[in-house]
Short mmCIF file of all heavy atoms in Angstrom, two decimals:
data_model
loop_
_atom_site.label_atom_id
_atom_site.label_comp_id
_atom_site.label_asym_id
_atom_site.label_seq_id
_atom_site.Cartn_x
_atom_site.Cartn_y
_atom_site.Cartn_z
N GLU A 43 5.94 10.44 7.63
CA GLU A 43 6.38 9.67 8.80
C GLU A 43 5.27 8.82 9.42
O GLU A 43 5.54 7.86 10.13
CB GLU A 43 7.00 10.57 9.87
CG GLU A 43 6.04 11.51 10.53
CD GLU A 43 6.07 12.91 9.94
OE1 GLU A 43 6.75 13.14 8.94
OE2 GLU A 43 5.38 13.77 10.50
N ARG A 46 2.55 4.44 8.09
CA ARG A 46 2.19 3.10 8.57
C ARG A 46 0.75 3.02 9.05
O ARG A 46 0.22 1.94 9.25
CB ARG A 46 3.15 2.66 9.66
CG ARG A 46 3.12 3.53 10.89
CD ARG A 46 4.18 3.08 11.88
NE ARG A 46 4.27 4.00 12.98
CZ ARG A 46 5.09 5.04 13.05
NH1 ARG A 46 5.90 5.27 12.05
NH2 ARG A 46 5.12 5.84 14.08
N THR A 59 10.95 -2.99 0.85
CA THR A 59 11.42 -3.15 2.23
C THR A 59 12.33 -2.03 2.67
O THR A 59 12.48 -1.79 3.87
CB THR A 59 12.14 -4.50 2.41
OG1 THR A 59 13.22 -4.56 1.47
CG2 THR A 59 11.19 -5.65 2.18
N ASP A 60 12.95 -1.30 1.77
CA ASP A 60 13.81 -0.18 2.14
C ASP A 60 13.01 0.95 2.78
O ASP A 60 13.55 1.70 3.58
CB ASP A 60 14.56 0.36 0.93
CG ASP A 60 15.56 -0.64 0.40
OD1 ASP A 60 16.00 -1.50 1.17
OD2 ASP A 60 15.89 -0.56 -0.80
N LEU A 61 11.74 1.07 2.46
CA LEU A 61 10.91 2.12 3.04
C LEU A 61 10.57 1.81 4.50
O LEU A 61 10.29 2.71 5.27
CB LEU A 61 9.62 2.28 2.23
CG LEU A 61 9.79 2.79 0.82
CD1 LEU A 61 8.46 2.76 0.09
CD2 LEU A 61 10.38 4.18 0.79
N ASN A 62 10.59 0.54 4.90
CA ASN A 62 10.26 0.15 6.26
C ASN A 62 11.36 0.51 7.26
O ASN A 62 11.11 0.56 8.45
CB ASN A 62 9.99 -1.34 6.35
CG ASN A 62 8.61 -1.70 5.86
OD1 ASN A 62 7.72 -0.87 5.90
ND2 ASN A 62 8.46 -2.91 5.38
N LYS A 63 12.56 0.76 6.80
CA LYS A 63 13.67 1.04 7.71
C LYS A 63 13.48 2.36 8.43
O LYS A 63 13.94 2.52 9.55
CB LYS A 63 14.97 1.04 6.94
CG LYS A 63 15.36 -0.34 6.46
CD LYS A 63 16.65 -0.32 5.70
CE LYS A 63 16.94 -1.73 5.19
NZ LYS A 63 18.11 -1.76 4.35
N GLY A 64 12.77 3.29 7.84
CA GLY A 64 12.54 4.58 8.47
C GLY A 64 11.43 4.55 9.50
O GLY A 64 11.31 5.43 10.34
N THR A 65 10.57 3.53 9.47
CA THR A 65 9.43 3.48 10.41
C THR A 65 9.68 2.53 11.52
O THR A 65 10.52 1.72 11.55
CB THR A 65 8.14 3.05 9.67
OG1 THR A 65 8.35 1.78 9.08
CG2 THR A 65 7.76 4.08 8.64
#
Side-chain angles (χ1 to χ4, degrees):
E43 67 262 7
R46 62 184 173 268
T59 57
D60 293 336
L61 294 174
N62 281 334
K63 291 180 183 175
T65 58

